[in-house]
Amino acid sequence: GKGEHVDAIMVLNRLAQTMREKRFASGAIDFQQAEVRFRLDEDGKPLSVYFTESNESHQLIEEFMLLANRTVAETIGKKTAHNTPKTFVYRIHDQPNPEKLTMLSKFVTKLGYKMKSASGRTTSASALNNLLKEVHGSKEQNVIEQISLRAMQKARYSTGNIGHYGLAFRYYTHFTSPIRRYPDLLVHRLLTRYAEGGRNVFQLKYEELCEHCSDMEQTAAQAERASIKYKQV
């Protein structure tokens, strides 16, 4: 029989796919990297390795998380008749370095792929998306995706909002994971404070916290990569 929430989920899925299309149309970049996972025995010893691909159910959750994050960032950060922006923790992502894009273009040419030289925000995004679409399913896919990711700037936390290039959002924050990510906790606390009419917080102090969170994120990412290599061996 049909589950009780199936109609609602189908509507949400349609909305998610529409938001996704709209995001890519406005210049978001479609990195669909397969993640390495391990089957472990009860002692945590790896038995085998497999990849997880992103499917529509993942995308449904992802799009609504992005929407929640974006809405929170806009609520605090967007200047309107009723809102004066206050100090906040944003998730920001700068445009790729043009030299790195040129190097990427030369690299993929050697592998037989074309990538239009990219100048400007949306053109570099569409050039990248076309390349990623073209290599999808090929044996070079993994290496080209890795190199493309390296051409990107690293996303980080900051009180100075420059928007998020990879997602094509003007306002973005990390709000949805306060259980496992400290920046989200900062965001929850600031949101609560401002919602209750609290005064603006001191920007320099929060910029230091943002820097600390960005550093810790890099450390954690390196540890994760090391643990994956260790288990693969």
Side-chain angles (χ1 to χ4, degrees):
K2 201 162 104 166
E4 54 177 318
H5 299 301
V6 77
D7 294 332
I9 288 171
M10 295 317 270
V11 171
L12 285 173
N13 191 46
R14 272 210 314 281
L15 286 169
Q17 291 302 323
T18 305
M19 290 193 295
R20 197 174 155 79
E21 278 164 30
K22 202 176 145 192
R23 207 156 52 77
F24 293 134
S26 44
I29 294 172
D30 190 10
F31 277 114
Q32 283 192 21
Q33 281 202 297
E35 289 189 19
V36 183
R37 290 273 186 272
F38 299 94
R39 285 185 192 83
L40 306 172
D41 68 12
E42 49 271 22
D43 302 321
K45 210 173 130 216
L47 304 169
S48 63
V49 60
Y50 63 99
F51 290 102
T52 60
E53 290 276 359
S54 156
N55 59 33
E56 279 199 10
S57 61
H58 295 130
Q59 290 163 10
L60 187 159
I61 292 166
E62 182 183 17
E63 288 305 321
F64 283 103
M65 282 171 71
L66 292 176
L67 182 63
N69 288 335
R70 195 181 91 194
T71 305
V72 169
E74 283 178 354
T75 303
I76 306 295
K78 208 172 185 175
K79 194 173 165 48
T80 63
H82 312 290
N83 185 46
T84 313
K86 291 186 164 68
T87 298
F88 204 51
V89 170
Y90 296 97
R91 178 74 170 168
I92 63 168
H93 187 220
D94 211 347
Q95 298 184 43
N97 174 328
E99 286 160 20
K100 282 192 174 174
L101 281 181
T102 308
M103 279 166 65
L104 172 66
S105 177
K106 284 180 182 161
F107 176 76
V108 300
T109 307
K110 289 199 173 107
L111 293 177
Y113 293 96
K114 277 195 296 289
M115 185 183 157
K116 286 201 298 292
S117 69
S119 58
R121 199 180 179 97
T122 35
T123 46
S124 63
S126 67
L128 261 165
N129 278 337
N130 290 337
L131 172 68
L132 293 170
K133 222 181 260 139
E134 209 187 324
V135 301
H136 193 80
S138 71
K139 59 182 191 299
E140 300 90 6
Q141 177 181 350
N142 204 343
V143 68
I144 288 179
E145 280 181 352
Q146 289 292 335
I147 306 266
S148 304
L149 263 178
R150 302 240 166 98
M152 295 283 109
Q153 303 278 7
K154 284 188 171 66
R156 58 196 174 88
Y157 300 103
S158 178
T159 55
N161 180 33
I162 57 164
H164 196 296
Y165 171 79
L167 294 171
F169 287 163
R170 271 296 299 119
Y171 298 88
Y172 192 62
T173 188
H174 271 172
F175 160 82
T176 47
S177 298
I179 297 167
R180 64 184 185 90
R181 219 167 34 195
Y182 190 66
D184 303 60
L185 205 55
L186 290 174
V187 165
H188 278 241
R189 288 169 180 168
L190 288 173
L191 194 60
T192 307
R193 178 192 176 106
Y194 295 151
E196 290 168 352
R199 282 214 319 268
N200 203 353
V201 295
F202 187 46
Q203 184 179 353
L204 275 176
K205 178 190 161 188
Y206 274 81
E207 191 54 39
E208 279 177 13
L209 291 170
C210 284
E211 251 178 63
H212 174 74
C213 289
S214 301
D215 290 346
M216 291 298 105
E217 179 187 9
Q218 288 310 314
T219 305
Q222 285 157 8
E224 185 182 4
R225 281 200 291 271
S227 95
I228 287 171
K229 282 180 185 163
Y230 178 68
K231 286 194 174 69
Q232 279 173 324
V233 170

